[in-house]
Amino acid sequence: MRAVVVRPPAAGVALEDVPAPLLPPGAVRVSVLECGVCGTDHDIVGGRYGRPPAGSEFLILGHENLGEVAEVGAGVDGFAAGDLVVATVRRGCGRCRFCRSNRSDFCETGDFTERGIGGAHGYMAEEYVDVPAYLVKVPPALRRVAVLLEPLSVVEKAVFQGQRVLDRKEPTPGEPKTGTPTALVAGTGAIGMLAAFLLRVRGYEVVGVDRHGDDTPAAKTLARTGVAHANVLAGFDVLGKRRFDLVVEATGSATLDFALIDRLGPNGVLVLTGIPDADAPPTPVPGGALLRDVVLGNQAIVGSVNANRTYFEAGLRDLTVFEERWPGAVGALVSGRQPLEAFRDVLTTHPGGTIKMVLTVRPGGAAGTAP
Ligand code: BGC
């Protein structure tokens, strides 16, 4: 079968013929429809991240996925050919209590693998095989947007973690209701955009910031969902003295991470989702002043990575809500769909204004909506 392969730690990417996976009993064969491309893929192709499976000299790339069940192995119930499915990414170590309960996003040994990223083949191939525990069935009505379910799952988890900290601000029985909570989302890539949508649905007043004007596809889409947009290219002073209950970071810039601490309100929480470059030059920060305010303000900084299937399931419910509330807004995050043959261009360039590029592995799929 054809697959997009990388050989980390070497930079580079190729479309190659590789053996199709065998279908063991208890597993499902999935025909891949499309794969989203994200910063992690760019980092792997650039030789900065990623690891082939043990014993393999290459890694099949791709973790943001949508496919159609092609064949159901012996002993599998609840799946049929033609079902749309999205697969989760992380596979647990099998030893820690989190991995043993399908919550490998909180793995404590670090011995997990991630399909398409580290130690396990991904989904940028004609087919893959996996077991039902990792496959989330998608209703046909979400065919056009379900490739965004994996990034949304990451957002669902991040917002949930932040919310858990913020729950301490909830009124106790008998106290009057509090006002509208406020959120700042830093970054308007797919993660930032989906975070903004989710926070609107959760009742937050939301400001989204990036380093562009109001005329980009991202800023225009935010406007449709009632999110205020600000260009912080010249610094955060454009926000005046505003502070927020929840700040969600989705850029991977360590410098920005520190700047965002300063935007936390009393008892607020900053959730970091972007993965900073460990080899970036050191970032000078006014550590004393920042951390003093963190302590005196009861503030929290939480990192959040990956997502287990419960967040994929939450994401499915919210994709439906987004579609009902702002028809077409989620679809607008897909800046373009390209055939698999365009892999090199899509994986090595990032044209301005692009939110999410998608590689079409096989057009069609349930609901017959060929891209
Ligand atoms: C993926 C996560 C993964 C993380 C770290 C992200 O791009 O969406 O599933 O855990 O990279 O490898």
Side-chain angles (χ1 to χ4, degrees):
M1 65 173 183
R2 294 187 313 159
V4 175
V5 304
V6 289
R7 289 180 167 74
V13 58
L15 186 59
E16 294 182 7
D17 258 315
V18 303
L22 300 172
L23 181 66
V28 174
R29 182 189 302 284
V30 178
S31 161
V32 179
L33 296 170
E34 42 189 35
C35 278
V37 170
C38 82
T40 301
D41 299 310
H42 283 270
D43 282 347
I44 296 170
V45 169
R48 296 180 292 279
Y49 200 55
R51 172 171 55 93
S56 170
E57 43 100 29
F58 66 88
L59 168 75
I60 300 177
L61 194 65
H63 60 280
E64 299 185 4
N65 66 94
L66 173 65
E68 193 181 55
V69 172
E71 192 183 351
V72 177
V76 172
D77 290 327
F79 286 85
D83 285 348
L84 286 178
V85 287
V86 169
T88 64
V89 174
R90 198 176 274 194
R91 302 292 172 264
C93 69
R95 300 198 314 278
C96 78
R97 69 187 179 93
F98 291 105
C99 290
R100 283 172 178 272
S101 58
N102 206 355
R103 291 184 293 158
S104 56
D105 56 317
F106 277 119
C107 177
E108 288 188 334
T109 65
D111 291 339
F112 56 80
T113 59
E114 290 184 335
R115 293 200 65 161
I117 299 175
H121 287 314
Y123 309 114
M124 256 176 223
E126 286 174 74
E127 290 179 354
Y128 72 88
V129 161
D130 217 329
V131 294
Y134 303 126
L135 298 173
V136 180
K137 271 209 261 182
V138 172
L142 295 177
R143 163 68 182 88
R144 292 289 292 174
V145 292
V147 70
L148 292 163
L149 183 58
E150 193 278 339
L152 179 56
S153 73
V154 167
V155 167
E156 292 277 354
K157 174 181 172 183
V159 167
F160 184 76
Q161 301 309 315
Q163 192 58 54
R164 291 195 83 158
V165 180
L166 287 173
D167 283 347
R168 62 197 182 165
K169 295 183 72 167
E170 283 299 299
T172 52
E175 274 183 345
K177 255 179 80 85
T178 46
T180 305
T182 58
L184 174 68
V185 175
T188 55
I191 295 281
M193 295 294 289
L194 290 166
F197 294 177
L198 184 62
L199 290 166
R200 288 294 293 144
V201 164
R202 297 279 191 272
Y204 280 79
E205 181 191 321
V206 184
V207 177
V209 297
D210 58 18
R211 307 205 296 175
H212 307 285
D214 287 336
D215 53 352
T216 62
K220 288 182 192 159
T221 305
L222 286 179
R224 280 191 56 199
T225 61
V227 173
H229 172 258
N231 177 355
V232 294
L233 181 61
F236 276 85
D237 289 351
V238 286
L239 296 180
K241 290 201 175 318
R242 282 201 76 177
R243 301 281 186 272
F244 301 84
D245 297 311
L246 174 60
V247 179
V248 177
E249 176 278 339
T251 71
S253 158
T255 311
L256 178 83
D257 291 352
F258 289 110
L260 291 173
I261 298 176
D262 214 21
R263 288 289 151 183
L264 283 174
N267 311 322
V269 56
L270 164 61
V271 184
L272 306 177
T273 72
I275 304 173
D277 178 1
D279 298 323
T283 308
V285 287
L290 282 179
L291 295 183
R292 180 188 161 97
D293 286 350
V294 168
V295 175
L296 297 181
N298 293 300
Q299 294 160 343
I301 303 169
V302 178
S304 181
V305 70
N306 194 254
N308 65 53
R309 77 171 289 143
T310 63
Y311 299 108
F312 283 74
E313 286 161 359
L316 269 188
R317 292 190 290 274
D318 282 317
L319 272 181
T320 306
V321 176
F322 298 164
E323 287 283 87
E324 278 166 14
R325 194 146 157 189
W326 312 292
V330 186
L333 304 187
V334 176
S335 310
R337 285 180 157 89
Q338 293 285 337
L340 198 56
E341 294 71 27
F343 70 99
R344 196 181 305 280
D345 196 33
V346 171
L347 285 159
T348 56
T349 62
H350 191 83
T354 304
I355 303 174
K356 172 64 65 188
M357 287 305 296
V358 170
L359 280 174
T360 300
V361 180
R362 175 167 77 77
T369 45

